[in-house]
Amino acid sequence: APFLVLCGIGNNGGDGLVISRLLSAAGFSVKCFVLEFSKRHSRDFDINLERLREMGVEAIFIQNESDIPAMSQQAWIIDAIFGTGLNRSPEGLVRKVILRVNDSGCRVISIDFPSGLFSQAPVADPQAVIQASLTLTFQQPKLAFLLPSNSDFVGRWEILAIGLDP
């Protein structure tokens, strides 16, 4: 089954680029997409975009609605658009991508945190939040995972130890 990796331009997007690289190196069919909602990329994102390109894998930048990829139900979608720092609901093109993901019927794996979910506040626009089948979170569970109102967004969750100091 193919993997569609959806990346933002921050550190979470950088994680998505690393995942694209690792899946590609392991022989999986991978298409990596970037939602460039700002020209201010994180350093981690830029470093990992360059590493991906050095492998010969080109990230496809989604710049308008016609660039949103087709999502067959056989695909796995990796959500690496936003991490825990989000403080307002996604709008415009990013919201359209999230709607398309949620309507696709695909299995969705969110990296660290489902995109569109807030870590410190209730969801304002439920349609602008990824509905993950599985959330792979780093180091410790996030408080938002434990709220019953968020269960449809988080899905099953697993903690990945990445060596952060407790």
Side-chain angles (χ1 to χ4, degrees):
F3 285 91
L4 302 178
V5 184
L6 302 173
C7 301
I9 55 171
N11 291 342
N12 194 251
D15 294 336
L17 296 170
V18 170
I19 291 166
S20 296
R21 201 171 71 233
L22 294 172
L23 287 170
S24 188
F28 289 96
S29 169
V30 179
K31 288 192 175 173
C32 181
F33 296 89
V34 173
L35 284 142
E36 192 178 38
F37 38 81
S38 164
K39 293 293 180 194
R40 291 186 16 232
H41 305 173
S42 77
R43 186 170 182 276
D44 183 57
F45 173 87
D46 285 334
I47 288 168
N48 285 297
L49 183 61
E50 188 55 37
R51 287 184 182 157
L52 188 65
R53 287 178 173 152
E54 287 168 3
M55 268 187 74
V57 178
E58 204 51 52
I60 301 156
F61 281 68
I62 298 174
Q63 296 176 327
N64 53 57
E65 199 168 349
S66 64
D67 296 333
I68 300 173
M71 300 174 195
S72 76
Q73 287 192 336
Q74 290 72 42
W76 284 86
I77 295 176
I78 307 285
D79 159 37
I81 304 170
F82 295 116
T84 58
L86 195 69
N87 57 18
R88 62 186 174 96
S89 293
E91 298 172 342
L93 186 58
V94 178
R95 186 177 190 276
K96 287 178 180 168
V97 170
I98 290 172
L99 285 168
R100 192 83 58 91
V101 169
N102 289 342
D103 288 343
S104 71
C106 293
R107 296 158 293 189
V108 179
I109 300 171
S110 285
I111 304 304
D112 200 31
F113 208 74
S115 293
L117 191 64
F118 301 133
S119 56
Q120 302 290 325
V123 170
D125 179 2
Q127 291 193 317
V129 183
I130 289 283
Q131 295 170 3
S133 313
L134 172 66
T135 299
L136 299 175
T137 196
F138 302 134
Q139 212 59 40
Q140 61 190 13
K142 311 304 186 267
L143 177 61
F145 296 178
L146 307 176
L147 302 175
S149 59
N150 290 341
S151 65
D152 287 345
F153 307 121
V154 178
R156 202 174 90 244
W157 52 271
E158 293 180 20
I159 299 170
L160 303 178
I162 59 169
L164 296 178
D165 187 331

